[in-house]
Amino acid sequence: MTRTTTFPALALAAALALAGCGNGQDAEAPAPGGASPAADAAPTGTTRTGTTSAGSTPAAGAAAEISGEHNDADVMFAQMMIPHHEQAVQMSEILLGKDGVPQDVRDLAERVAQTQEPEIEQMQAMLTAWGAPATPDESATAHGGHGSGMVDEQGMNWLREAEEGPEAAELYLEQMIRHHEGATEMARDEVEQGSNPEAVELAREIVEAQEAEIEEMRTMQEELSQP
């Protein structure tokens, strides 16, 4: 009895399988080029060129594009320039919170913030890629470090408390010129001593952009000083 019932069942199953192959061919057709959808999909947690996978951060994506080649000068440049840039952004935000600031000075402050915030993220990604700490040790900062051109707390308070309008603009320009001069000095050191191509290129861009802004700010100072 077992053999009698098994053969018809097998025949029926074979017939159904053949029918399925004919009727369901479109649903099972391979993707163009012979690749299946599963093979074409990127594995979870991987990042393709120009995209960021789910769960990854922009800094992590940037770090993947940074050369591992670096030396102590590269690390010092990033560690020192990050807080330097952060203060420039803070100073700009203080000024932008005041009324009556001349439009050209306001435009400059907006540009400083918009330019330096992405550079901060880029340098943070560099340190991550190199496995370096975000801040240098005390011995590295003993010679002045990121204090070059930095505004002390009293100076920051003066900017916060400055009267709105031209007075705040004049103080901002005075402080930011010195701040930019310190940044360009550090960036030149990186150009001369650094080995990481991305860090050296960023340093060159900082020198070029901030030297131009220094001249621009000096012109603004002259215009504000006119009666």
Side-chain angles (χ1 to χ4, degrees):
M1 291 296 292
T2 302
R3 294 178 180 273
T4 304
T5 56
T6 300
F7 291 153
L10 291 173
L12 177 61
L16 289 173
L18 289 172
C21 290
N23 296 334
Q25 185 174 2
D26 293 340
E28 298 296 327
S36 68
D40 186 60
T44 303
T46 62
T47 304
R48 294 182 178 183
T49 304
T51 62
T52 303
S53 64
S56 65
T57 63
E65 302 172 1
I66 295 169
S67 169
E69 176 190 356
H70 69 283
N71 60 16
D72 290 344
D74 298 314
V75 174
M76 184 67 65
F77 166 70
Q79 290 174 333
M80 297 297 194
M81 194 64 80
I82 287 171
H84 204 275
H85 271 30
E86 287 173 340
Q87 187 180 63
V89 172
Q90 183 183 10
M91 292 165 64
S92 299
E93 290 174 344
I94 291 172
L95 184 74
L96 292 170
K98 296 180 180 292
D99 294 327
V101 175
Q103 189 60 47
D104 56 347
V105 182
R106 181 175 292 277
D107 291 344
L108 171 73
E110 289 178 348
R111 191 191 326 142
V112 168
Q114 292 171 358
T115 300
Q116 297 198 21
E117 284 178 338
E119 290 177 349
I120 290 169
E121 294 179 1
Q122 183 179 358
M123 289 183 285
Q124 288 171 335
M126 289 176 181
L127 293 175
T128 298
W130 303 332
T135 56
D137 57 36
E138 293 182 2
S139 63
T141 58
H143 65 281
H146 59 249
S148 180
M150 293 281 281
V151 179
D152 60 19
E153 190 56 34
Q154 183 180 33
M156 293 296 291
N157 286 333
W158 286 342
L159 183 59
R160 293 186 187 100
E161 297 166 3
E163 291 186 13
E164 297 185 345
E167 179 180 331
E170 288 174 0
L171 181 58
Y172 172 83
L173 292 172
E174 179 183 344
Q175 293 178 337
M176 192 60 76
I177 287 173
R178 291 198 304 268
H179 203 269
H180 272 30
E181 287 173 341
T184 56
E185 180 183 349
M186 290 191 292
R188 286 192 194 94
D189 288 343
E190 166 62 12
V191 172
E192 294 175 1
Q193 303 170 17
S195 67
N196 179 269
E198 292 81 19
V200 171
E201 178 59 26
L202 175 60
R204 288 196 183 99
E205 292 171 359
I206 289 173
V207 171
E208 181 179 356
Q210 296 203 15
E211 282 185 341
E213 288 176 347
I214 288 171
E215 293 305 313
E216 185 179 357
M217 288 187 284
R218 285 176 175 155
T219 300
M220 292 177 185
Q221 281 183 316
E222 293 176 0
E223 293 174 348
L224 286 172
S225 65
Q226 294 175 358

